Amino acid sequence: MLHEHAELLLRLIIQHTFDEIFITDHLGNVRAVSPSCSDLYGIEAKEILEQNVFALEEAGVLRPSVTALVLKSRDRETLVQQTRTGRTVVVSAFPIFAEDGQLLGTLSFSRDITELEQLKKRNDQVAKTILLFQKEIAELKSKNVQGLYLSNGKMKKVLDLVSKVADLDVTLLLTGESGVGKNRLAHMIHEISERREEPFIEVNCGAIPESLIESELFGYEEGSFTGAKKGGRMGYFESAGHGTLFLDEIAELPLNLQVKFLSVLQNQTVTRVGGNARIRLHCRIICATNQNLEQLVKERRFREDLYYRINVIKIAIPPLRERREEIVSLIYQLTEEFNAKYKMNKQFAPSFVAWMSQQEWPGNVRELRNFIEKAMITSNDLLIELNQELIEEKHVMQEGEAIGFDRYMEAVEKEFITRMYHKYPSSVMLAKQLGISQSTANRKINKYVKNRLVKND
């Protein structure tokens, strides 16, 4: 009876174990094997019974056979196998001896570590990315990829986080007030990632009519609705390929499509309207909103499960009023951008820069950008002076705590002299360009650029 119970227990262990169990006699003939053999080695358990491990090794089923090694060495053996089904398994085999030392057979355990190996490779890739991001960011800065963003103040923390997550395949959520530059930051993330050569597709979820947004995002099959294009059409998820899909104003996505979007994120597949086939998703998804999603969740206007799914990494972009120290540099950067765009060579007078620096910009970078662009286009002068018409155009003067004009003028002068010195790198050239004496130019270079005594050129 005890013997029968032992056999029953052995069969149950072999039947239900998570590991693949393999038992042979002293000649290598298979006496027992667990059902998982099929998944790991591509052969049914009943087909492998009574076969010889040396023959299985020669046939390529076991490559190599750990049991065969044990039969030869009569000692414990452990190695990692790559099976013909594409799985990675670690196998440990042991000799079974009788009390008199006679070899009775072998017992081996195989554990599937495919996912662990993939995770290890992923972690190695992440580690490599983090080590290289500083060099990559430096290279991109030289190409002016960062656009309007500065590497100081509050934006430095944002850029540091962007650098760390750019190459990670996680969904990002960009938040911030309207006009802070969420779309520009999404472009930057794409440009400094390994997907930079792939498409970048930007979709404003609030700008597409509700009746069309499903077919625009997910695509459709031929005949799925009246007017459907012959042959169907890819949606934005498919069109993004291995690139980046940027979904702006994600809070405007209708509730019924939020469910479908959640399924896309969870399964990494998309199904076209009117179709059944699941299409594998390869793009990276970045979402953005200027609304309070937590409040929308409470009001049941945004799905809680979708919120947590897209909020894996949240990057909050501060409004311009919280990084006023960057406004002067933003003005000069925007000026250079529009000069290049419209093939002009215009500059703002220091007093005009100081005035803009003291204004409130509730529309953030977008409002500042639009104001500067219009001022440059409408002005007939190379040096744009502050005038009443432009003041009236702005309509909003600084409110709240007053900041000294002298302090702003000094900041403007420092920025202006630094930039001009980079273009005209000597006191003689700078003095001639600005219409000032060489000694004055020397003094300003010493004060703002080199911060030390500069010899006459």
Side-chain angles (χ1 to χ4, degrees):
M1 180 67 70
L2 184 61
H3 179 70
E4 292 178 358
H5 284 170
E7 287 188 344
L8 175 61
L9 180 61
L10 178 60
R11 285 199 301 272
L12 289 174
I13 291 173
I14 293 175
Q15 183 73 23
H16 299 291
T17 181
F18 288 104
D19 293 334
E20 191 270 328
I21 297 179
F22 207 77
I23 302 175
T24 73
D25 61 18
H26 67 289
L27 296 176
N29 298 313
V30 182
R31 298 304 185 192
V33 63
S34 54
S36 57
C37 174
S38 175
D39 295 331
L40 295 184
Y41 296 101
I43 185 170
E44 296 293 336
K46 61 183 179 181
E47 296 178 22
I48 206 171
L49 285 173
E50 302 304 325
Q51 291 202 50
N52 190 274
V53 293
F54 293 100
L56 291 171
E57 183 178 44
E58 187 175 345
V61 177
L62 306 175
R63 297 181 295 182
S65 170
V66 187
T67 300
L69 292 175
V70 171
L71 290 173
K72 295 174 182 177
S73 68
R74 300 168 68 89
D75 199 0
R76 173 180 175 173
E77 300 284 351
T78 299
L79 55 78
V80 175
Q81 285 182 337
Q82 296 293 330
T83 73
R84 62 182 183 178
T85 60
R87 311 303 292 178
T88 302
V89 296
V90 58
V91 188
S92 290
F94 310 83
I96 303 173
F97 294 103
E99 292 184 359
D100 60 1
Q102 180 182 356
L103 179 64
L104 299 178
T106 67
L107 171 64
S108 68
F109 300 87
S110 300
R111 172 160 295 186
D112 189 351
I113 60 169
T114 306
E115 282 72 24
L116 290 176
E117 287 293 299
Q118 291 174 349
L119 181 60
K120 181 177 179 298
K121 291 179 181 179
R122 187 72 165 272
N123 287 341
D124 290 342
Q125 180 186 8
V126 171
K128 181 179 178 182
T129 301
I130 292 176
L131 289 173
L132 294 177
F133 89 86
Q134 290 179 317
K135 178 181 178 181
E136 191 168 7
I137 288 294
E139 293 173 352
L140 290 169
K141 281 182 180 179
S142 67
K143 299 176 184 177
N144 203 27
V145 174
Q146 290 199 24
L148 299 182
Y149 296 107
L150 306 179
S151 57
N152 56 35
K154 289 194 174 183
M155 283 305 294
K156 184 179 187 304
K157 294 181 179 180
V158 173
L159 294 178
D160 287 344
L161 181 56
V162 164
S163 301
K164 293 175 182 177
V165 303
D167 278 326
L168 303 183
D169 286 329
V170 293
T171 303
L172 303 179
L173 176 61
L174 310 184
T175 63
E177 297 178 5
S178 178
V180 293
K182 294 184 288 294
N183 59 341
R184 190 172 288 264
L185 188 65
H187 269 283
M188 181 197 296
I189 292 169
H190 175 77
E191 289 297 330
I192 66 174
S193 74
E194 294 180 348
R195 300 174 183 267
R196 69 181 68 88
E197 302 298 330
E198 303 294 335
F200 177 90
I201 295 182
E202 180 176 346
V203 181
N204 188 321
C205 298
I208 304 175
E210 188 170 339
S211 58
L212 297 177
I213 191 168
E214 182 175 15
S215 60
E216 291 293 310
L217 284 175
F218 302 100
Y220 59 81
E221 297 290 358
E222 180 178 345
S224 56
F225 54 85
T226 303
K229 184 179 178 181
K230 185 177 181 180
R233 201 182 83 172
M234 291 193 304
Y236 292 126
F237 284 107
E238 289 182 75
S239 299
H242 288 79
T244 301
L245 178 62
F246 175 49
L247 298 177
D248 199 6
E249 303 299 342
I250 190 65
E252 303 298 327
L253 195 65
L255 280 170
N256 63 310
L257 293 187
Q258 289 181 25
V259 178
K260 194 168 183 178
F261 180 37
L262 177 63
S263 176
V264 169
L265 293 175
Q266 290 175 336
N267 302 318
Q268 293 295 295
T269 59
V270 64
T271 303
R272 293 183 182 181
V273 175
N276 296 314
R278 291 190 174 187
I279 302 167
R280 192 70 184 168
L281 185 67
H282 300 289
C283 66
R284 198 259 187 87
I285 296 176
I286 301 176
C287 302
T289 183
N290 60 6
Q291 298 193 48
N292 187 329
L293 290 184
E294 292 91 339
Q295 184 61 36
L296 295 182
V297 169
K298 292 179 181 178
E299 297 172 0
R300 298 185 181 278
R301 294 164 55 195
F302 198 85
R303 291 183 61 92
E304 184 176 18
D305 47 6
L306 178 58
Y307 169 67
Y308 288 119
R309 191 65 183 79
I310 65 175
N311 193 27
V312 179
I313 301 289
K314 180 164 74 173
I315 301 176
I317 307 173
L320 198 53
R321 64 180 175 274
E322 294 182 8
R323 44 191 175 105
R324 297 186 65 88
E325 73 279 1
E326 299 180 10
I327 294 180
V328 172
S329 292
L330 284 170
I331 292 169
Y332 282 109
Q333 289 180 1
L334 285 165
T335 303
E336 289 183 1
E337 179 183 330
F338 292 127
N339 272 330
K341 180 179 179 180
Y342 297 113
K343 295 179 173 58
M344 300 186 299
N345 188 27
K346 297 181 179 181
Q347 298 292 334
F348 287 97
S351 58
F352 196 173
V353 175
W355 178 85
M356 284 189 284
S357 301
Q358 297 179 67
Q359 304 309 300
E360 293 295 336
W361 301 96
N364 293 295
V365 179
R366 182 187 293 132
E367 182 184 358
L368 177 63
R369 176 189 178 88
N370 292 341
F371 181 81
I372 289 175
E373 184 174 20
K374 184 173 182 179
M376 292 181 68
I377 291 174
T378 56
S379 175
N380 295 320
D381 303 317
L382 292 179
L383 184 65
I384 307 173
E385 299 280 359
L386 180 62
N387 57 67
Q388 189 62 34
E389 183 179 348
L390 288 170
I391 292 176
E392 292 175 357
E393 180 76 25
K394 179 65 179 71
H395 285 303
V396 180
M397 299 300 290
Q398 179 184 2
E399 297 177 359
E401 182 183 357
I403 298 176
F405 183 78
D406 290 341
R407 178 180 162 193
Y408 263 99
M409 286 302 296
E410 185 177 33
V412 170
E413 186 176 71
K414 177 181 179 181
E415 185 74 26
F416 181 70
I417 293 297
T418 301
R419 288 177 176 272
M420 294 300 289
Y421 183 76
H422 287 159
K423 292 182 179 180
Y424 307 99
S426 75
S427 60
V428 173
M429 295 170 64
L430 184 64
K432 181 178 179 182
Q433 184 66 27
L434 300 184
I436 58 178
S437 67
Q438 184 182 358
S439 60
T440 300
N442 240 338
R443 188 169 60 252
K444 293 185 182 297
I445 292 171
N446 179 54
K447 179 179 179 181
Y448 296 127
V449 183
K450 297 185 177 180
N451 205 22
R452 59 180 173 83
L453 185 63
V454 181
K455 295 179 179 180
N456 282 346
D457 304 272

